[in-house]
Amino acid sequence: MKMLVNHRPPVPGRRVRQAVILATALAAAAGLAACGSNSAGTAAASGASTATITITCPPISDYLTVTAAQQKGYFKQENLNVKCYGAAASGATALPLLQSGTLTISGTNIYSMLLDVAHGYPVKCVSAVNAKPATGSELAFMVSKKDAGIISNPSSLAGKSIGINAIGSASQLIAELWLKAHHVNPSSVTFTAVPFPNMAESLASGTITAAITDEPYTTLSIKAGAKVLAARPYQLIAQEPVFNCWAATTSYLARHADVVKRFNAAMAKATAYVTAHPAWLRQALVSADKLSPALAKQVYLPSFTTKITAQDVNLWVTAAMKVGLLSKQISGSSVIWDQAAG
C-alpha cells in the first residue's frame, strides 16, 4: 500500500519527498485498533437507533482506546456500529477522507486539523484522544544506527533525510521546532513521508538518516539499533501537550450531534478503562501488534484523555506560526465543538 498523498501543498522552501515506501506492516498493524465484533453485551443507549460510523484506526499506541471500546462493548452500549478505515495512517492523510465523506469521525493530530481549518475546511475537534507524557520516549527523534556515528550534533542533520509519518503532520512540525531550537534551518533537510510501521526498517536500512517515531515503533526502532537523538521533542510545545483529537465536519455535527455525543460517551468509558488497566494495554500490544510480552513491557504509553481546551489548541497554533508552518492566527476555541467532551 502506498502512502496516501496529502491534499495540501508543501510549505514553500521546504524540501519534501512523498516516499514510495511500501507499508508492508501497515495492514497488520492497523489491527492495533481494529473494530471487530463486540465481546461485552450490555444494554444499548436508551431509545437511540443504531448508527453506523466509520472512523480511523491508526496503527499507533495512541488509539488503543478504540480497541478497548470495541472489546469492552462500549460502542454497543451507545448503539454504535463502528467500522475502521485502516488505510488512513495519519491525521494528515485522514482529514481529506473526512471531507469526502469516506470517514464519519477522524482521529487527527491537532496541527493537521489546524492546517485544514486554515485552508477553509470546516472541521472541529469533538474530544481529545491523548496527550504526550512528561517522561520517557513515546514520541522521539531517532537517528539510524548507520548514521549515529556521524550525527554528532544537530547541525550534522543538514542535507540529510528525516522520516515523518506524513507531510503536513505533527511530526513535521515537531522536527522543525527541534531543528530551529538547535539553530538548524529546516529547509536544509529533506522530509520524507514514511508510515510509522516502516520507520524501524527504514532507519535500520539507512533509507532515512533520522525520524520522528511514535510507539510502539519507537521501541521497535531502538531494538533495531536506532539511537535516541531527543526523547521528547514535543516538549518544545508543552510539557504534556494534548496531541490528537477526534474530529468531524461541522455539517455532520449539525445533523448528527446525538451520534457524536454517543461516540464521545463510549470513548470516555474506554479512556477510563485503559487508564485504570495499564496491563490491558500491554496485552493489547502483544495480541494486536504482535509484540513479544517482554518488548510490550518496554513500550512507553501515552496519557489518555478526552478533555481538550482552547489553550491546548492555542499552543499548537503558536508553535506552527513560530516556524512558518501556519500562515494565519486561529483561535483554539473556534475549532472545538461547543458540545465537546470536557
Side-chain angles (χ1 to χ4, degrees):
M1 182 184 298
K2 291 183 181 180
M3 180 79 178
L4 291 176
V5 178
N6 185 5
H7 72 306
R8 309 179 197 90
V11 175
R14 301 302 197 276
R15 294 194 292 172
V16 299
R17 182 162 64 95
Q18 292 285 1
V20 185
I21 298 176
L22 295 179
T24 54
L26 183 57
L32 186 68
C35 300
S37 60
N38 294 313
S39 60
T42 57
S46 177
S49 60
T50 299
T52 297
I53 62 174
T54 303
I55 68 172
T56 46
C57 300
I60 53 177
S61 303
D62 294 354
Y63 288 90
L64 281 170
T65 44
V66 176
T67 307
Q70 200 71 20
Q71 289 186 4
K72 300 301 175 181
Y74 300 141
F75 287 140
K76 187 175 182 180
Q77 290 174 20
E78 299 298 331
N79 262 357
L80 293 175
N81 176 29
V82 178
K83 297 182 178 181
C84 272
Y85 189 90
S90 72
T93 57
L95 285 169
L97 299 171
L98 189 68
Q99 297 298 332
S100 70
T102 301
L103 294 172
T104 313
I105 299 174
S106 172
T108 175
N109 64 80
I110 304 298
Y111 169 61
S112 291
M113 185 203 62
L114 287 170
L115 277 186
D116 264 46
V117 172
H119 284 83
Y121 298 107
V123 295
K124 289 181 181 285
C125 282
V126 301
S127 67
V129 177
N130 70 295
K132 290 302 180 185
T135 60
S137 52
E138 199 240 350
L139 184 142
F141 207 150
M142 308 293 294
V143 63
S144 70
K145 180 180 180 181
K146 176 183 175 183
D147 295 295
I150 62 173
I151 305 299
S152 56
N153 55 65
S155 63
S156 303
L157 287 169
K160 305 299 184 182
S161 175
I162 296 177
I164 53 176
N165 65 314
I167 305 304
S169 65
S171 293
Q172 181 177 350
L173 170 57
I174 290 167
E176 295 209 16
L177 283 170
W178 190 87
L179 290 169
K180 185 171 182 178
H182 290 83
H183 311 292
V184 180
N185 188 340
S187 298
S188 69
V189 305
T190 298
F191 290 105
T192 302
V194 183
F196 279 130
N198 294 89
M199 289 290 191
E201 179 184 351
S202 297
L203 284 166
S205 67
T207 304
I208 51 178
T209 299
I212 298 290
T213 61
D214 206 345
E215 289 285 31
Y217 307 106
T218 300
T219 295
L220 289 171
S221 296
I222 292 172
K223 182 185 178 184
K227 307 300 180 183
V228 177
L229 194 61
R232 295 174 297 281
Y234 52 80
Q235 289 183 334
L236 289 167
I237 299 171
Q239 187 71 6
E240 297 179 79
V242 171
F243 203 87
N244 296 305
C245 76
W246 293 107
T249 63
T250 54
S251 61
Y252 186 85
L253 291 171
R255 291 180 288 112
H256 302 287
D258 178 65
V259 173
V260 180
K261 287 180 182 178
R262 284 151 55 191
F263 175 81
N264 278 351
M267 296 311 299
K269 295 173 189 176
T271 297
Y273 181 82
V274 300
T275 300
H277 298 85
W280 180 91
L281 288 167
R282 305 287 180 189
Q283 183 55 44
L285 289 168
V286 173
S287 59
D289 208 40
K290 312 305 179 186
L291 299 187
S292 69
L295 197 61
K297 288 180 180 179
Q298 298 175 36
V299 171
Y300 289 100
L301 299 173
S303 300
F304 295 101
T305 182
T306 59
K307 184 178 180 180
I308 184 167
T309 68
Q311 178 58 16
D312 293 326
V313 177
N314 289 338
L315 291 169
W316 286 91
V317 173
T318 299
M321 294 190 73
K322 183 176 182 179
V323 292
L325 289 180
L326 193 64
S327 59
K328 59 187 291 187
Q329 184 72 43
I330 297 173
S331 169
S333 60
S334 70
V335 296
I336 299 176
W337 187 35
D338 59 8
Q339 301 179 64

